[in-house]
Amino acid sequence: MEYDEILHTLQTYGQEHLLKYYDSLPQKDQECLLKQIADIDWSILKLLQSGKAAEEKGVLEPLGALELPEIRKKESAYREIGKKAIQEGKIGAVLLAGGQGTRLGFNGPKGTVNIGLSKELYIFECLIHNLMDVVRETGSWVHLFIMTSQKNNEETVSFFQKHNYFGYDAEHIHFFIQEMAPAVGYDGKLLLEEKGKLALSPNGNGGWFSSMEKAGLLPLLHEKGIEWLNIFAVDNVLQRIADPCFIGATIDSGCASGAKVVRKASPMERVGVLCLEDKRPSIVEYYEMTEDMIHLKDENGNLLYNFGVILNYLFRVDKLEEILHTTLPLHMAEKKIPCLDANGELYRPETPNGYKFETLVLDMVRLMDSCLPFEVERSHEFAPIKNKEGVDSIETARELLKQNGVVL
Ligand code: UTP
């Protein structure tokens, strides 16, 4: 797009300030800026005006889970099915590590945080150790795909190289980079990070499969015969990855996806709950539930909306390919966004100063025809590191790691 066309678009949306420094920029930067502006998905402004997620929720109903007692009864059969699938090369794992982890406030990729006490122990290292348990159990390497963003890719890749992939086989590790989205200040104006650069941030964890496609990784999935992908977050240092029991149970169920869930600690716990929406599996956020739903119980006194997701999903690859071009709803999140102030100086806010726009992997579950909620013991599989202190912090994760026999 040419300058005039871009200017016209910006005027339509009241965003001409993005060209404030245009004339002072070298030609190369001018071109980059115009390209960034041409790539903007303007639906973010519509979302900003309406102030809510693009889509309303449908009719919600509870969805039970495959619960621990049942899993224990059939554990060895599930495990065998899962191990066989891994040994046949049908399982891949996808680490979502493109987020900025702003709540933790660490200046670098979250996975590079050292949580050790008497020795170095990095978050990435914990995850690799967990996956190595499965490699040992099955005698097979699992292809691990790591999603990064333009903001942290170089640092992440060189960190893995420097640490020799923590003993993982480098041939089985594949990095790919996710897309970016612009950020907006509270006044509805798009933010600049440099005079010739928009304040762009990773566009959420929902685009991981289309980013894999853009990175040219789908032929590799086919070549290797990978039929299932286990998606997981960077920050849960206790989670089991490519867990044979979970894989076996999901395959056995005939469902197109599976989700690890934990029993809610209390009805009011702020977790996304797996349920049915218009008869399809779906995740409802705690703030989208009514009081009645939150406290609804069955005849035995058990909460009906009782299973929270922990961002560990299994998706069947053929189904992912079917939904590849389906648009996911956009979500807005209030964040601290480094940007230029009125004088054109970079400033790093201490408190949120605007919104980022994201699509979320949890919305993919709804696009699957079916999902097996698979209960896991929270104290053994859920130690997320989200915040600097208090709940879900390094401190709480260390405690849980120790309880599980990990030497820190
Ligand atoms: P979070 O919801 O914790 O988001 O991500 P975040 O952006 O990293 O952290 P805060 O909210 O700023 O503190 C859950 C998982 O999704 C990944 C994260 O790396 C984490 O594993 N993620 C998130 C991405 O891969 N890309 C994104 O754009 C956002």
Side-chain angles (χ1 to χ4, degrees):
M1 256 200 264
E2 294 301 318
Y3 178 89
D4 288 344
E5 218 179 321
I6 295 274
L7 181 61
H8 178 71
T9 309
L10 291 178
Q11 283 165 341
T12 312
Y13 293 105
Q15 304 285 340
E16 307 91 292
H17 65 284
L18 295 181
L19 295 176
K20 183 172 167 188
Y21 306 105
Y22 183 83
D23 291 337
S24 65
L25 297 172
Q27 192 191 343
K28 203 163 151 271
D29 293 0
Q30 287 182 333
E31 284 165 12
C32 285
L33 181 61
L34 293 185
K35 162 91 178 61
Q36 283 192 331
I37 298 173
D39 286 345
I40 293 173
D41 169 5
W42 294 103
S43 64
I44 57 172
L45 294 184
K46 231 200 276 160
L47 175 60
L48 194 66
Q49 276 156 11
S50 69
K52 54 182 178 359
E55 279 175 24
E56 296 288 345
K57 285 276 170 208
V59 177
L60 301 177
E61 288 171 82
L63 174 64
L66 185 61
E67 298 185 25
L68 284 167
E70 187 67 12
I71 294 171
R72 285 190 189 116
K73 261 193 255 159
K74 298 195 183 148
E75 174 157 4
S76 58
Y78 288 151
R79 198 163 271 281
E80 279 316 305
I81 300 173
K83 274 171 70 174
K84 186 162 171 279
I86 294 169
Q87 285 158 345
E88 289 171 351
K90 291 182 178 167
I91 311 297
V94 183
L95 164 55
L96 303 175
Q100 289 182 292
T102 51
R103 282 170 286 173
L104 189 62
F106 175 74
N107 201 11
K110 203 189 249 189
T112 65
V113 173
N114 177 10
I115 58 169
L117 291 169
S118 63
K119 57 170 189 171
E120 287 177 1
L121 181 66
Y122 300 96
I123 291 181
F124 280 139
E125 188 176 7
C126 288
L127 300 174
I128 295 289
H129 285 174
N130 297 351
L131 184 53
M132 284 293 281
D133 287 344
V134 174
V135 172
R136 273 190 293 271
E137 184 181 347
T138 60
S140 310
W141 292 102
V142 173
H143 282 279
L144 173 62
F145 301 88
I146 302 179
M147 182 165 86
T148 61
S149 79
Q150 283 165 22
K151 299 254 181 202
N152 68 12
N153 182 63
E154 257 173 57
E155 232 181 304
T156 304
V157 174
S158 56
F159 184 80
F160 270 95
Q161 283 167 346
K162 181 174 154 216
H163 292 277
N164 204 15
Y165 303 90
F166 300 106
Y168 210 75
D169 177 26
E171 301 270 300
H172 283 81
I173 294 194
H174 317 270
F175 293 93
F176 65 103
I177 301 177
Q178 71 170 101
E179 268 63 58
M180 306 290 273
V184 175
Y186 286 137
D187 58 0
K189 301 285 181 201
L190 288 163
L191 299 170
L192 285 171
E193 186 177 78
E194 289 174 26
K195 292 182 175 167
K197 216 170 169 193
L198 299 182
L200 295 177
S201 49
N203 66 348
N205 57 28
W208 64 273
F209 194 64
S210 68
S211 299
M212 275 183 87
E213 188 224 15
K214 288 197 185 93
L217 287 167
L218 300 199
L220 182 76
L221 296 182
H222 292 293
E223 191 190 303
K224 302 288 175 195
I226 296 173
E227 293 180 5
W228 293 86
L229 289 171
N230 179 201
I231 320 312
F232 63 101
V234 72
D235 43 45
N236 177 7
V237 284
L238 260 189
Q239 68 192 312
R240 308 311 302 163
I241 302 154
D243 172 358
C245 188
F246 175 43
I247 294 166
T250 306
I251 293 176
D252 185 63
S253 73
C255 290
S257 66
K260 285 201 167 187
V261 294
V262 291
R263 205 167 278 266
K264 277 173 40 173
S266 75
M268 303 305 286
E269 193 186 6
R270 299 173 153 217
V271 287
V273 168
L274 196 54
C275 61
L276 287 176
E277 179 184 357
D278 297 333
K279 309 284 180 205
R280 299 182 75 83
S282 180
I283 289 152
V284 56
E285 290 291 352
Y286 63 92
Y287 53 81
E288 293 171 318
M289 291 172 75
T290 62
E291 274 292 304
D292 284 352
M293 283 169 73
I294 290 173
H295 296 284
L296 198 65
K297 290 187 174 150
D298 67 12
E299 61 280 4
N300 301 319
N302 298 317
L303 289 175
L304 278 169
Y305 291 94
N306 200 18
F307 293 100
V309 286
I310 60 169
L311 217 174
N312 190 312
Y313 302 105
L314 256 182
F315 291 117
R316 225 174 55 207
V317 172
D318 60 345
K319 191 70 199 166
L320 287 169
E321 289 182 308
E322 228 176 277
I323 63 160
L324 180 59
H325 300 295
T326 311
T327 319
L328 290 173
L330 262 185
H331 297 258
M332 292 198 310
E334 269 185 273
K335 299 266 173 162
K336 299 178 224 167
I337 307 153
C339 60
L340 296 189
D341 62 15
N343 303 319
E345 303 289 333
L346 180 69
Y347 99 106
R348 296 181 184 278
E350 295 287 313
T351 52
N353 59 329
Y355 300 102
K356 289 183 183 174
F357 298 87
E358 303 186 324
T359 60
L360 304 177
V361 61
L362 59 82
D363 286 317
M364 284 178 108
V365 173
R366 185 154 181 258
L367 302 177
M368 297 279 141
D369 294 325
S370 49
C371 179
L372 176 75
F374 178 91
E375 187 186 5
V376 297
E377 197 124 32
R378 165 188 288 261
S379 58
H380 290 156
E381 291 211 31
F382 193 42
I385 297 175
K386 297 281 186 195
N387 305 309
K388 225 181 203 150
E389 40 203 33
V391 285
D392 298 345
S393 60
I394 295 180
E395 216 55 53
T396 56
R398 277 187 184 137
E399 201 41 54
L400 283 157
L401 284 168
K402 275 194 233 160
Q403 284 169 25
N404 283 277
V406 177
V407 179
L408 290 171

